[in-house]
Amino acid sequence: NENQSLVYRRMKINLWYTGSMGQWRWTLSEEGVDNVQESGQRPFLRDAMNDVANTVEYILQCKYND
């Protein structure tokens, strides 16, 4: 609906490689009423980034398509 106002969300994403585990690890947090915190790990960078993108899309879909 074009009459709905756009709400900006602030999400913090951390991404790092843990050599001893051979994993790209990530955390995502969103401060606010719900204090969303998610995390994951994957051996390949592209897979980790896709997980982050899918998680952000899921959060946005759940919050704005109720």
Side-chain angles (χ1 to χ4, degrees):
N1 184 342
E2 61 188 23
N3 293 328
Q4 291 179 332
S5 63
L6 181 61
V7 176
Y8 291 93
R9 310 294 297 189
R10 180 171 294 218
M11 294 186 186
K12 181 178 180 182
I13 299 167
N14 292 301
L15 174 72
W16 67 97
Y17 185 75
T18 305
S20 63
M21 295 176 58
Q23 298 282 319
W24 285 95
R25 305 191 68 178
W26 60 271
T27 60
L28 181 151
S29 60
E30 178 186 22
E31 293 183 5
V33 176
D34 297 332
N35 289 322
V36 172
Q37 294 182 345
E38 301 288 341
S39 64
Q41 63 184 29
R42 293 285 197 135
F44 300 107
L45 174 61
R46 181 68 59 182
D47 293 334
M49 295 298 290
N50 285 337
D51 286 350
V52 171
N54 289 337
T55 301
V56 169
E57 290 173 345
Y58 177 78
I59 290 168
L60 293 176
Q61 182 180 28
C62 287
K63 289 192 178 208
Y64 299 112
N65 291 332
D66 289 341

